[in-house]
Amino acid sequence: MALIGRALLIMALGTAVCGIGASIYGARTGMREWVDAGRRSVYALAALATIAFAILEDAFWRNDFSFNVVANHSSTTTPAFYKLAAAWSSQEGSLLLWVFLLSLWSSLILFLVRKRAREITPYATTVLLGFAAFFTSLAAFWANPFTTSANPPAEGLGLDPLLLHPTMMIHPPMLYSGYTLLTIPFAFAVGALITGRLGAEWIALTRRFALAAWLFLGIGILLGALWSYTELGWGGYWAWDPVENAALMPWLCITAFIHSVMIQEKRGMLKVWNVSLVLAAGTLSILGTFLVRSGILDSIHAFGASTLGVPFVILLAVMVLGSIGLIVWRRDQLRSDARLESLLSREAVFLLQNLVLVGMVFVIFWVTFFPLISEALTGTKVSVGPPAFTPFIVPLALILVALSGIGPIIAWRRVTVANLRRSFALPVTAGLVTFFVLLFWPGGPSSRPFALIMFALGGFVLTSVAQELWRGVAARRATTHEVVPLATVRLVRRNRRRYGGYTVHAGLAILLVGVAASSSFQHSSDVILKPGQSAHVDGYAIRYVRPTESLSSQKIAFGAVLDVTKGGKHVTTVTTVRNFYPSQNPSDGLIGKFFDTSQADSQVGLDQNLSRNIWTVINVDPTPLAPLINKGNNVFAAYAPQVMTKAAKLPPDQAQAAMNGLWAERDLAVSEIARRFVTHPWPTEFLLIVDPLVIWIWLGALIMGIGGLIALWPVPSFARRRVQVASPARPAAPPPPVPVREPV
Amino acid sequence: MQVVEYLVIFTILFAVVAFVSAPVRRALVARGADHADDSTLADLEAARDAKYRELRDADLDHRTGKLSDADYEELDQTLRGEAIAIMHDIDRATIERQ
Amino acid sequence: MDPSRKRAIRLTVALTAAVVLAAALVYVSFTAGNKEFTASQLLTKGKPGQTYELAGTVLNGSVQRDGTTLYFRIRDPKLPVSVPVRYNGIVPDPFAAGRAVMVAVEKGNSGTTYVGQGNSLTTKCPSKYQAAAAS
């Protein structure tokens, strides 16, 4: 099977290269059949990648340890779901996943546009196949997932316990989908620049793809934050780690693009901005893929120096220089058709939004890469931590939220002061009321001015979105006289982009309010408690009720039951656990391997509600058990060889029984030792955090996702137009009349 | 076992080559009707749809109070003029195609 | 004011804002940053009272806990020297002997133990992308 896998990779590379040749030839000569062949090679590539990926997954499923990746990342005791997901926890498997997802999305997109954009598509196909060829050759020649060993081990090394979490396994495919989806608008932008066709059709196509990429990448980022908060033992959701930043930067670029492209559509402005944003987003997504696996930046993710660095740097250099070259070459076609008329207009707001978002990207890029920049300039690596980000990102974020509230209620081209008064009165009042109420609220947020401003802006944005929705419904009902719910649904359906976008803005406001609250008003306590003792955090009394211990074939779980009260009244009970997974290190000893702290992860005890989170984690140190563990190690170190020698002389089934007896005794010893955590508990360390409004972050992100889906959902007229284009040439039909006032 | 694997590989290779080259082989046999470049037309139709959308957006903006009556009338006239110009271009392009 | 002058003014304002932002960024990075040193660099070039970012691998057998304080040594990637660190704060789950870590440390005036700054300890996720044997 591995042989087939290796052959498939070579075939995939060959297909990609042939496809590039066919597409370019077809584009230059205008021969449709060569362009079709190029598109078909993308479909073929998808088929080959799918089969290859299926072979890999099958190997994981069957515990085929002759495959090196399976032996290194899975084991017979790994749960089924995680076995399949282990396929992409390795460098080799993740490269194959990248090719698989890229070819799948490319096939889908090229199928959907097969009858349109006939000039641009062959070049876009070339670019996409170029990426595919790059990643496939990395997989085929540098990090092949189908390498085998002649003497497969009996058991694999298993998956790192930190990854045994559902969100952590969905996070890579989501993130990769986002990254690969970003290559599609990139490819179409390159195609548009090469052919000089930067008109309405290019915009219509690219915006859809960009929105899909925005959605998937956003989900990937959110899942990473969620995992960090609920699984890692530090109680945070965002650390400005280089790899987190690497995913955020393209997302910000594509957010800017989605807005700014509306200006190009309506007024023919910001053309250079738009192509630059798309090309930057694509480049940053490749950069992000590179950062995770190169080790050039110190990050919790940078998985060691690997030899893949050089090819990626070359690819990135080609992308950057190529992008700049293309834009300079086509600068005549990129001249604006119109000029900004007034600073009090939606156009101006969009332009400002571009500047703010790009500003954020620049700040993040600079601070993330500063160690390398400083090393290049001064010879010493200087690392700048999260504190460097906040003075810049916080004000920029505040401006961004403000703009997201102003944008929906300000009109195009120019506004009059009277209109401003009519549209802004209610939202601004709401914002001011929120501000002053919170300012004078006893024990409220007045101590943190930035958070206070963010709350006020949240009120402003939510009111502006609600006002817009209300007025739209009223306008529709004026002509259709429908009931409110029906009118709302129909209004949103007829104006998906507008109201989808407004929903995203509302979600963003809620999310950032949650971020502001949870980062400004967090209370935490790092304490050592004995059973029965309490700690006090932000008015809550958290009592260590009793220790817990449980054993399974996969792990030992030491935990605690914590009782939370406030003002004497019971609030909640949470359980937090520290799981110890057996290590493969023989020097740990036959008993000690089950108590290795380097193979441990935490299960957070969490109580979430709309107003606050109570986050608890236990950090069990098994050192008090050391005397017993050492004794056990010594006993079994002597005993086990005796049993094994005896068993070697017995017939197979009796030998098996003898070995089973040995392991049963070992397990009994382990469980007796583990039990002591409950029978003879020792003072244990806890990290306790009370955090307001955290759930608003997840809710806000969910609302943003829903808004994105609404905006992305295909409009029926899309289908209608496809039919018109596909029909053969016929005598010119009278042009459809310009629509009379329809219901909105 | 190895023989079966090689057999599978060559079958897949054959299938891929056949599939990808099909359009080229078909064209060699019978030169199909080469459609004239209609991407200009597609571009214009996209521009027309965008202009319709702009008209509806302006209407909604007016009804939700973001454009005064006077501003809206002016904008509406401008947009309709632009839409008609695009449709004339579409007519011309359609006739040229034939 | 005619349109081209308005545009010129807007452009100037925008460019000025960008320059100010960039300057602030550069300033903050160079002042708020900590020099990243290896263990040997810290021993030879480290100044007392200064904070540095210490990167290296945790020395096997050097990890000890005393209440909420963690003691460990970080060894140099090339030279056979190591630096003692005393750390109070959140310890990431993957922290263990033999793992690559980064911690902000301040050189104590007595010059021997380096005091880790609270909650600055980060550990690299055990390498997914290297053969397990090498980690």
Side-chain angles (χ1 to χ4, degrees):
Chain A
M1 284 302 253
L3 178 65
I4 300 181
R6 286 196 294 274
L8 284 171
L9 285 178
I10 306 287
M11 274 195 273
L13 182 59
T15 311
V17 171
C18 288
I20 291 173
S23 299
I24 296 180
Y25 186 68
R28 301 307 303 252
T29 59
M31 288 202 267
R32 179 74 54 74
E33 56 271 20
W34 287 97
V35 173
D36 287 347
R39 194 177 60 247
R40 282 178 166 226
S41 51
V42 178
Y43 300 156
L45 181 66
L48 293 170
T50 308
I51 301 173
F53 198 71
I55 293 178
L56 188 64
E57 288 287 27
D58 174 68
F60 272 92
W61 186 255
R62 289 181 296 114
N63 295 315
D64 186 344
F65 297 121
S66 66
F67 281 71
N68 290 343
V69 284
V70 182
N72 289 334
H73 296 91
S74 180
S75 65
T76 52
T77 57
T78 309
F81 170 63
Y82 295 113
K83 256 189 219 169
L84 295 178
W88 56 77
S89 70
S90 66
Q91 170 90 284
E92 301 88 345
S94 69
L95 283 174
L96 187 55
L97 180 69
W98 225 97
V99 176
F100 169 62
L101 287 171
L102 177 67
S103 60
L104 226 58
W105 291 122
S106 304
S107 296
L108 177 66
I109 297 308
L110 290 176
F111 177 76
L112 288 175
V113 304
R114 65 194 180 286
K115 295 201 168 64
R116 302 153 67 189
R118 289 230 152 90
E119 282 198 19
I120 303 178
T121 313
Y123 292 105
T125 310
T126 307
V127 173
L128 291 171
L129 284 172
F131 283 123
F134 176 80
F135 280 91
T136 309
S137 49
L138 285 183
F141 303 120
W142 263 275
N144 198 316
F146 299 105
T147 53
T148 51
S149 55
N151 296 315
E155 177 63 278
L157 293 171
L159 202 54
D160 189 284
L162 270 181
L163 302 172
L164 289 171
H165 194 261
T167 50
M168 213 32 214
M169 296 324 288
I170 307 173
H171 167 73
M174 271 297 154
L175 216 49
Y176 284 11
S177 286
Y179 282 156
T180 51
L181 277 168
L182 275 176
T183 58
I184 293 170
F186 178 89
F188 276 86
V190 170
L193 283 167
I194 291 177
T195 55
R197 308 202 63 86
L198 289 146
E201 214 190 5
W202 170 71
I203 295 173
L205 282 175
T206 314
R207 194 223 338 265
R208 266 222 130 65
F209 308 150
L211 194 50
W214 176 91
L215 190 59
F216 277 86
L217 192 55
I219 295 175
I221 295 172
L222 171 72
L223 287 178
L226 193 56
W227 172 75
S228 171
Y229 183 74
T230 54
E231 177 66 13
L232 290 184
W234 68 295
Y237 41 79
W238 191 262
W240 295 111
D241 184 84
V243 168
E244 292 174 319
N245 302 340
L248 185 60
M249 286 190 286
W251 189 84
L252 292 173
C253 277
I254 211 75
T255 305
F257 171 74
I258 291 169
H259 291 90
S260 158
V261 81
M262 282 190 238
I263 305 289
Q264 182 169 345
E265 205 178 27
K266 286 183 152 40
R267 312 278 273 105
M269 292 159 59
L270 301 183
K271 290 181 185 175
V272 175
W273 267 103
N274 290 333
V275 283
S276 308
L277 285 169
V278 173
L279 294 173
T283 312
L284 286 168
S285 74
I286 298 291
L287 182 65
T289 312
F290 162 60
L291 267 185
V292 182
R293 49 192 86 222
S294 71
I296 59 165
L297 286 173
D298 290 313
S299 140
I300 65 163
H301 275 79
F303 296 110
S306 72
T307 50
L308 291 193
V310 173
F312 267 99
V313 171
I314 296 175
L315 176 64
L316 284 166
V318 166
M319 287 172 83
V320 171
L321 294 172
S323 304
I324 297 175
L326 280 171
I327 294 178
V328 168
W329 176 40
R330 289 298 191 195
R331 62 188 179 286
D332 284 333
Q333 268 103 329
L334 294 171
R335 278 192 218 288
S336 277
D337 296 339
R339 297 243 161 264
L340 194 67
E341 282 171 27
S342 156
L343 278 180
L344 289 177
S345 63
R346 229 179 216 179
E347 291 92 328
V349 169
F350 276 62
L351 180 58
L352 194 53
Q353 172 247 197
N354 270 5
L355 291 169
V356 168
L357 283 168
V358 169
M360 282 175 132
V361 172
F362 186 70
V363 168
I364 297 173
F365 187 88
W366 174 267
V367 180
T368 304
F369 283 92
F370 194 64
L372 294 177
I373 297 171
S374 65
E375 194 175 26
L377 292 176
T378 65
T380 342
K381 258 193 191 176
V382 178
S383 69
V384 200
F389 285 99
T390 20
F392 298 96
I393 297 294
V394 169
L396 287 174
L398 288 174
I399 298 175
L400 196 66
V401 172
L403 291 177
S404 77
I406 297 173
I409 55 182
I410 201 170
W412 296 102
R413 296 198 185 213
R414 95 193 137 260
V415 295
T416 60
V417 178
N419 282 110
L420 273 179
R421 236 181 278 144
R422 214 201 128 188
S423 298
F424 280 79
L426 191 57
V428 169
T429 313
L432 287 172
V433 165
T434 316
F435 182 79
F436 284 109
V437 165
L438 290 176
L439 184 66
F440 297 114
W441 193 276
S446 50
S447 54
R448 295 274 199 276
F450 282 123
L452 184 56
I453 297 174
M454 183 60 87
F455 298 151
L457 286 174
F460 167 69
V461 171
L462 290 173
T463 312
S464 97
V465 168
Q467 176 185 280
E468 268 305 291
L469 191 60
W470 178 252
R471 287 192 180 171
V473 169
R476 184 178 171 88
R477 293 184 70 215
T479 43
T480 63
H481 308 290
E482 293 158 328
V483 289
V484 169
L486 190 62
T488 315
V489 168
R490 295 237 171 104
L491 175 76
V492 171
R493 268 230 297 256
R494 287 271 295 165
N495 299 280
R496 277 172 228 257
R497 255 191 286 159
R498 176 186 290 237
Y499 290 101
Y502 293 171
T503 310
V504 173
H505 289 187
L508 177 71
I510 295 173
L511 184 147
L512 286 178
V513 162
V515 168
S518 59
S519 44
S520 309
F521 301 103
Q522 194 192 77
H523 290 92
S524 72
S525 182
D526 191 1
V527 286
I528 307 245
L529 296 175
K530 289 204 287 254
Q533 285 184 327
S534 297
H536 294 268
V537 187
D538 193 25
Y540 291 90
I542 304 180
R543 187 168 66 91
Y544 177 11
V545 175
R546 58 182 173 81
T548 64
E549 171 264 340
S550 77
L551 217 61
S552 80
S553 61
Q554 283 155 17
K555 59 188 182 194
I556 300 178
F558 291 122
V561 174
L562 298 168
D563 187 73
V564 183
T565 52
K566 185 165 191 170
K569 272 199 290 206
H570 174 77
V571 172
T572 183
T573 309
V574 291
T575 323
T576 162
V577 167
R578 192 158 171 80
N579 298 311
F580 287 81
Y581 299 86
S583 85
Q584 306 294 332
N585 191 347
S587 66
D588 278 336
L590 285 168
I591 302 290
K593 64 187 266 192
F594 294 95
F595 299 93
D596 185 351
T597 48
S598 69
Q599 295 291 322
D601 75 0
S602 324
Q603 218 164 288
V604 169
L606 187 59
D607 184 81
Q608 289 198 90
N609 71 21
L610 276 179
S611 67
R612 92 289 173 279
N613 275 17
I614 296 177
W615 186 100
T616 65
V617 85
I618 187 173
N619 188 6
V620 177
D621 177 24
T623 314
L625 295 173
L628 281 172
I629 294 174
N630 289 333
K631 191 163 154 210
N633 280 341
N634 292 333
V635 165
F636 275 88
Y639 181 54
Q642 290 174 9
V643 177
M644 287 193 235
T645 351
K646 253 193 245 161
K649 301 183 189 138
L650 291 170
D653 44 324
Q654 285 185 35
Q656 190 61 47
M659 292 307 288
N660 287 344
L662 171 65
W663 299 134
E665 286 181 66
R666 194 266 318 262
D667 291 346
L668 188 62
V670 169
S671 74
E672 297 264 321
I673 296 176
R675 198 78 202 129
R676 287 187 73 84
F677 182 65
V678 174
T679 55
H680 297 73
W682 57 90
T684 310
E685 186 183 3
F686 290 89
L687 180 60
L688 309 165
I689 302 179
V690 177
D691 231 343
L693 302 190
V694 175
I695 219 174
W696 289 41
I697 301 175
W698 321 131
L699 287 176
L702 180 67
I703 295 172
M704 285 174 82
I706 293 173
L709 274 177
I710 294 175
L712 192 55
W713 211 258
V715 184
S717 62
F718 189 94
R720 256 186 279 130
R721 196 149 71 82
R722 269 215 310 259
V723 172
Q724 278 177 359
V725 173
S727 57
R730 62 201 190 300
V738 174
V740 191
R741 305 281 158 84
E742 316 166 343
V744 286
Chain B
M1 201 48 226
Q2 284 254 299
V3 178
V4 175
E5 290 187 323
Y6 277 114
L7 216 60
V8 171
I9 292 171
F10 279 112
T11 315
I12 297 177
L13 182 62
F14 183 76
V16 167
V17 171
F19 176 70
V20 172
S21 62
V24 178
R25 285 184 284 117
R26 253 180 272 146
L28 286 174
V29 171
R31 272 245 161 263
D34 232 353
H35 297 285
D37 164 39
D38 61 351
S39 51
T40 326
L41 192 59
D43 236 354
L44 284 171
E45 287 178 340
R48 177 201 60 199
D49 288 346
K51 203 51 71 174
Y52 284 179
R53 228 180 284 125
E54 240 196 291
L55 275 164
R56 283 198 317 119
D57 271 345
D59 188 23
L60 187 54
D61 280 342
H62 175 231
R63 295 207 206 186
T64 56
K66 280 172 290 184
L67 275 178
S68 71
D69 292 331
D71 278 342
Y72 173 64
E73 285 304 329
E74 196 195 317
L75 183 61
D76 191 55
Q77 287 300 97
T78 316
L79 289 175
R80 281 171 190 272
E82 290 171 2
I84 291 171
I86 294 175
M87 289 196 296
H88 283 322
D89 287 338
I90 291 177
D91 285 344
R92 233 176 292 130
T94 319
I95 291 168
E96 270 169 25
R97 245 179 96 196
Q98 286 151 5
Chain C
M1 205 186 309
D2 77 296
S4 59
R5 240 202 99 177
K6 247 202 257 186
R7 273 203 307 278
I9 293 178
R10 277 188 216 143
L11 192 61
T12 317
V13 169
L15 279 177
T16 315
V19 168
V20 167
L21 176 70
L25 199 53
V26 172
Y27 174 73
V28 168
S29 332
F30 276 106
T31 53
N34 291 333
K35 287 210 183 70
E36 212 178 283
F37 272 173
T38 58
S40 58
Q41 286 172 319
L42 202 54
L43 287 171
T44 51
K45 292 193 265 181
K47 298 196 192 76
Q50 273 260 53
T51 311
Y52 299 94
E53 204 69 36
L54 176 61
T57 320
V58 179
L59 192 63
N60 280 318
S62 69
V63 180
Q64 276 166 342
R65 246 179 236 274
D66 180 18
T68 51
T69 312
L70 184 69
Y71 296 91
F72 55 95
R73 297 186 76 97
I74 299 210
R75 71 172 156 79
D76 192 86
K78 300 201 187 84
L79 302 171
V81 294
S82 65
V83 163
V85 176
R86 175 165 58 105
Y87 176 79
N88 274 298
I90 300 174
V91 179
D93 279 339
F95 177 84
R99 293 262 163 90
V101 299
M102 250 172 66
V103 59
V105 292
E106 192 186 316
K107 184 160 183 169
N109 281 321
S110 59
T112 46
T113 309
Y114 294 81
V115 182
Q117 306 301 294
N119 299 336
S120 69
L121 180 61
T122 57
T123 311
K124 284 194 189 180
C125 272
S127 175
K128 296 193 311 196
Y129 292 153
Q130 272 178 350
S135 65

